[in-house]
Amino acid sequence: MTEWIQTGGQSMMEPVTAAVLLVLLVSLIQGLIRGASGSARRLFFFVWESIVIVACLVLASHWAGKLSPVAADMLRKHVIVPSRELGSIEQAWYTLITSIRDFALLRYVLLFLFIYLLLRVAASGLNPLLELIFRRRAHVDADGRQQERRMALPRQRAASRVFGALLGGVHGAGRAFIFIGVLFVYVSLLPSGIGAQMIKQSPLYMQAAALLEPVAGDMLAGRGPVLAEAMQAEFQNILQRKYEVIDYAIPADIEQAAAQVVKDAATDEAKARALYAWLGTRIAYDWDKARNYEEQGIWQEQSPQNTFDTRKGVCIDVARLYDMMARAVDVEVRVVTGLGADGKGGFGPHAWNEVRIDGKWLPLDATWASSGDWFNSPDFEQTHIRDKQLSI
């Protein structure tokens, strides 16, 4: 702190330092206005609130971990997507509830927030009792404070304000410490986040981080990229689930077509290959739709039924129709999103499928079927980069 004060003139305008100084200044002014008794009360409840927050965070984390598998089992038993066309509200509901059921990170986060809020509400019920206890121990109430101010000598009032300012400074130091702690967690978890580099260059932050590092550094080190990847993967899972719910019901004409395509296939792999060949030769690539999206940002959403009826679509449309037809003939399948080679040395957004054959997921790309054999081809992984998704 001494070093920081000595170099304060050079770093006064640095954002982190300026924010801490503002917190301290506001707290000092508040303490000066409130006086000794008012500042003591505020400091007490600040410390109490900090303890409650930490306790609620720890308990919420513990119980969210304990209840997450219980909630998953309960939802698996009671949540079944209806085998009929769903309205938009039903689609949103089943996307949410099945995502909570199947995706562990989303389930944990929601349980954590719910339990934390419950604990905070419960803890807030103690505030009136603590208020009463504090007032009795301080031997002062609201009316008493007003009378004391009227009867106090100017010197006593000045001493009360000075002591109040000191207590306000202690309060401000606590606030500043929490502020720096939040910055430390943010920089540790998201080292490439917005403003993280600027925060790390702050002289005040560097000194505070040196104190926090032995306490929390090992626990947080390296978690940033892991957390970012986990959140991105969970988001991809939820987007994928949206399509799964929308496409869950299989129209009769698509089901009949799928059955006709695989009528001579004896194994799941033969069924998957027959469907791959059928879509690859029947569904034309919709270049107009692709150009509208690439050049004007206009995206035309279409269902597998639209793709089946018009016999054209882009990669995601082909992949969704393949998914629906494969499910119609009891082949385990999923839609995969990611990047596909563009033939010019680069990659662009793409979608394809994977089918589960003898316990293994085999990739296939019916959109590219006209350009070669893309059913579990040897160089598939060199031309297709899938989005990272969490296992469920």
Side-chain angles (χ1 to χ4, degrees), residues 141-357:
D141 55 23
D143 295 334
R145 286 198 300 272
Q146 292 294 334
Q147 185 177 359
E148 185 181 277
R149 290 195 186 98
R150 288 195 298 269
M151 297 178 64
L153 296 174
R155 184 177 300 174
Q156 292 173 320
R157 289 199 295 268
S160 175
R161 291 187 183 280
V162 170
F163 190 63
L166 291 175
L167 290 175
V170 175
H171 190 175
R175 288 172 169 172
F177 182 78
I178 290 177
F179 172 70
I180 292 292
V182 170
L183 293 182
F184 180 78
V185 172
Y186 171 73
V187 170
S188 298
L189 293 180
L190 298 173
S192 301
I194 298 174
Q197 203 60 36
M198 177 269 294
I199 294 170
K200 287 188 284 189
Q201 292 173 353
S202 163
L204 178 60
Y205 173 80
M206 287 190 288
Q207 293 188 30
L211 298 175
L212 292 170
E213 188 73 37
V215 179
D218 291 341
M219 181 181 68
L220 296 174
R223 296 290 178 87
V226 174
L227 178 63
E229 285 189 10
M231 293 303 295
Q232 181 182 6
E234 198 78 324
F235 182 67
Q236 290 294 336
N237 280 335
I238 294 171
L239 289 179
Q240 179 63 39
R241 180 52 51 90
K242 170 190 171 184
Y243 285 124
E244 291 174 3
V245 170
I246 293 174
D247 299 344
Y248 190 79
I250 304 173
D253 54 348
I254 293 179
E255 185 173 13
Q256 292 168 4
Q260 181 64 27
V261 170
V262 304
K263 62 183 178 63
D264 297 325
T267 64
D268 284 347
E269 183 173 357
K271 292 179 182 179
R273 284 186 175 276
L275 290 172
Y276 163 82
W278 188 88
L279 269 81
T281 55
R282 300 301 195 285
I283 308 300
Y285 193 81
D286 193 340
W287 291 104
D288 290 336
K289 178 177 178 176
R291 277 192 291 268
N292 281 339
Y293 179 68
E294 292 173 357
E295 297 173 5
Q296 303 180 44
I298 299 174
W299 175 253
Q300 180 185 348
E301 187 71 61
Q302 67 187 62
S303 67
Q305 183 71 67
N306 298 143
T307 308
F308 182 80
D309 292 340
T310 62
R311 292 294 199 271
K312 65 180 182 179
V314 295
C315 56
I316 186 63
D317 304 320
V318 176
R320 288 173 65 188
L321 178 57
Y322 185 96
D323 177 271
M324 183 173 284
M325 296 183 75
R327 286 189 291 111
V329 294
D330 299 321
V331 173
E332 192 172 354
V333 62
R334 61 190 180 193
V335 175
V336 180
T337 57
L339 300 175
D342 59 11
K344 303 175 184 177
F347 287 81
H350 194 47
W352 59 95
N353 297 94
E354 290 179 348
V355 289
R356 192 175 179 87
I357 307 296

